[in-house]
Each structure stands twice: as C-alpha cells, then as structure tokens.
C-alpha cells in the first residue's frame, strides 16, 4: 500500500506502510465489554500507558457508552470523565489522543485539552458543529457509519444492501464535512461494525472491506471489530470477555482486506496479529 499522511491537530500520522493500532479506553460505567474497569482517572491513565507500552499508535478515549440500548450521557458528565484523562495523557504520552464523542462542546474541550482526533460514531448526523471544532483545531476526524442512535440501532429493520448503504451514507458525511471546511486529508472513515447491522452484514463488511477501500481511496480506513457481538454469535454466544480469539481472527481478516487502522481493546495480541497478517499479505 502507498504511504500517505492523515493530518491531525499537531502532526501528520503516516498510514499505509503498516496497519496502525488504536487502543480503546472507555471511561464509562456501562460499556459493553469493560464498563467500570477504568472509570477513575488514575486507572484510565494507567491502562492507557500500558496500551502504549504494548504498541498502541493512538489512544481513543470515550466518556459515553455507545453499546446497543444505551442512552446519551449529559454533556457535563462526559466532560468530567474525559478531560482530566486527556490532560494527563498529553503530558505523559507522545502518541495522538482521539476522543470518541458526538457532542461539539465535548469535542471543543477535548481538542483544547490536547486531543488531536475526534471520532464521531454518528458521522456528523447528531451534531454537525463537530466539524467546525475540527476545523478550528485542524484536527483529524473519523466519520463512522451508523444507523439510528445507540438506543434504537438494533431495533431498526435491516438494510438490504449494507455495503451500498455504508458507501452512500459516508459520502454524504464527507460532503457535509467538506462544506463546513474540514480538509480532505484530515478525514478517516469507519464502516461501523455492529452499529445497526445484522451479524451477517458485519461479516460481509469485513469480507468486502477491500471494495470500501477502493471506493474511498483518498481516506484511511479504520475498523473496530474488537469483542463485537457478531463474534459472540459465531462462537456459541460467547460473552464479550471470551471473544479474544475471534477478535484476532477478525483483525487478521481486516488487515488482509486493507484496513489502515484497527480499533482494539487488547493491544498486545492485536499488534502481534497485525504483524503476522501483514507479513503474509505482502506475498499476496
């Protein structure tokens, strides 16, 4: 793959030479796989530094659970959860910090505190002003495909052509971001595994990720398969904490199909899986 640059707030992050690993840091009491484990600022920072030591290229901090059925968290509460951790990490770590939020006020405060990427699961559907904050900070922006809201997404009737839906919706979000001034080289896209898709559609999107990459050749492709429910369904309804091996298989498949960034909870196994999958892909 050619090496390109993803433009962030204070640096450009090269992608394409190898698959980057984004470590997930949920500062929430109710996230689907690790809710409450890193709820205090101290434990959150400690876990982030551990993920960095294990090889994470980016840390993605979330203060609001987006698991199926979850409700929105008040803005003040989300800020209270994430801002102290961002401030600590930007002084103790050198890798880029991403913030998983759908609120422009949280995006603004996070970028002011030192974050360099906003990861918006709604792709600007919930709060288009996120794009304005990204422009002010010249930050990176992840546009993720999703349907409905976290509370309703799994109750929606399935879309017949999921790849067509993801491509069309992301094109609309990219156009909106451009209208509000976001630079093309600042945008990454994510097909949104698990967000309003059936288990079979999640598998299809991974299998056809190379087609998505061709459709969006100018953008880094980020994918989050870690511990997702489709893996549990394939593994006799395994709970989230018993989906590591399935996650690793999904990561390897995503790398073989051209993912530029994988978003994971278990960094060390993911880094090792990526390294082996890339070595094999070079001969294909």
């Amino acid at each position: 793959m050619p090496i390109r640059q993803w433009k962030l707030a204070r640096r450009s992050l090269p992608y394409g030479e190898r698959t980057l690993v984004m470590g997930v840091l949920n500062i929430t009491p109710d996230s689907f796989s690790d809710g409450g484990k890193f709820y205090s600022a101290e434990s959150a920072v400690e876990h982030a530094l551990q993920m960095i030591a294990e090889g994470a290229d980016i840390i993605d901090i979330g203060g609001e659970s987006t698991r199926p059925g979850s409700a929105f968290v008040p803005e003040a509460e989300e800020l209270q959860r994430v801002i102290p951790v961002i401030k600590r990490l930007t002084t103790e770590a050198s890798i880029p910090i991403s913030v998983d939020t759908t609120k422009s006020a949280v995006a603004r405060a996070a970028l002011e505190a030192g974050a360099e990427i906003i990861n918006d699961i709604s792709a600007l559907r919930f709060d288009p002003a996120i794009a304005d904050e990204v422009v002010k900070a010249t930050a990176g922006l992840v546009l993720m495909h999703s349907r409905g809201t976290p509370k309703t997404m799994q109750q929606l009737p399935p879309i017949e052509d999921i790849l067509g839906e993801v491509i069309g919706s992301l094109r609309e979000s990219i156009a909106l971001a451009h209208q509000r001034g976001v630079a093309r080289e600042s945008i990454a896209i994510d097909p949104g595994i698990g967000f309003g898709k059936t288990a079979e559609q999640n598998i299809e999107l991974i299998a056809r990720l190379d087609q998505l990459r061709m459709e969006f050749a100018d953008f880094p492709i980020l994918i989050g398969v870690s511990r997702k429910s489709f893996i549990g369904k394939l593994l006799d309804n395994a709970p989230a904490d018993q989906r590591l091996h399935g996650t690793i298989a999904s990561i390897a498949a995503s790398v073989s199909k051209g993912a530029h960034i994988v978003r994971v909870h278990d960094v060390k196994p993911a880094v090792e899986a990526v390294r082996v999958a890339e070595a094999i892909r070079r001969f294909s």
Side-chain angles (χ1 to χ4, degrees):
M1 276 193 273
I3 301 172
R4 301 190 177 192
Q5 301 290 326
W6 184 20
K7 190 173 182 299
L8 311 183
R10 286 179 296 283
R11 74 190 88 191
S12 289
L13 191 64
Y15 69 92
E17 181 179 22
R18 63 180 180 84
T19 307
L20 304 177
V21 174
M22 173 185 274
V24 179
L25 183 61
N26 290 319
I27 312 174
T28 60
D30 58 344
S31 290
F32 81 97
S33 66
D34 57 2
K37 287 184 72 174
F38 312 111
Y39 197 37
S40 74
E42 199 62 41
S43 64
V45 170
E46 183 180 342
H47 183 57
L49 294 175
Q50 179 187 340
M51 289 193 288
I52 293 167
E54 291 174 348
D57 299 288
I58 306 165
I59 297 295
D60 189 43
I61 299 174
E64 176 178 77
S65 174
T66 53
R67 61 179 172 78
S70 61
F72 293 116
V73 169
E75 180 185 299
E77 188 172 346
E78 190 176 346
L79 287 166
Q80 188 176 19
R81 292 175 183 179
V82 301
I83 298 304
V85 177
I86 296 168
K87 289 180 175 177
R88 282 276 304 275
L89 283 178
T90 51
T91 61
E92 296 185 35
S94 60
I95 69 171
I97 304 301
S98 167
V99 175
D100 183 346
T101 188
T102 60
K103 302 181 182 74
S104 57
V106 175
R108 181 187 317 119
L111 293 167
E112 288 173 352
E116 296 188 61
I117 302 163
I118 299 301
N119 182 6
D120 179 6
I121 64 139
S122 81
L124 305 179
R125 287 190 301 116
F126 297 169
D127 187 351
I130 279 182
D132 305 336
E133 302 305 330
V134 166
V135 171
K136 289 176 195 171
T138 61
L141 174 63
V142 179
L143 297 172
M144 193 197 84
H145 175 271
S146 59
R147 300 175 60 221
T149 68
K151 194 170 186 66
T152 66
M153 62 187 178
Q154 295 308 113
Q155 300 164 17
L156 298 172
I159 292 285
E160 186 174 342
D161 175 12
I162 193 60
L163 185 64
E165 155 70 18
V166 168
I167 290 170
S169 180
L170 286 174
R171 280 178 177 160
E172 290 177 5
S173 293
I174 290 168
L176 176 58
H178 287 163
Q179 286 169 16
R180 299 187 83 112
V182 180
R184 195 172 187 82
E185 60 268 24
S186 295
I187 296 172
I189 65 164
D190 181 344
I193 299 297
F195 285 78
K197 289 97 173 166
T198 66
E200 292 76 15
Q201 288 175 337
N202 290 320
I203 296 165
E204 178 187 349
L205 286 169
I206 296 168
R208 300 176 72 184
L209 197 64
D210 52 345
Q211 295 179 44
L212 193 72
R213 189 165 63 88
M214 286 189 288
E215 288 284 344
F216 296 101
D218 293 338
F219 305 99
I221 307 294
L222 184 155
I223 189 166
V225 295
S226 185
R227 304 181 185 176
K228 292 289 174 75
S229 63
F230 82 92
I231 297 171
K233 288 178 181 174
L234 288 170
L235 301 178
D236 301 322
N237 296 315
D241 62 357
Q242 293 177 31
R243 298 173 187 167
L244 174 60
H245 298 153
T247 293
I248 294 304
S250 303
I251 288 169
S254 298
V255 171
S256 74
K257 292 293 183 175
H260 297 111
I261 308 164
V262 291
R263 184 179 182 273
V264 305
H265 297 85
D266 304 285
V267 169
K268 187 175 189 294
V271 167
E272 292 176 352
V274 163
R275 189 178 303 167
V276 173
E278 286 180 334
I280 296 167
R281 188 184 65 192
R282 290 189 193 106
F283 286 90
S284 61

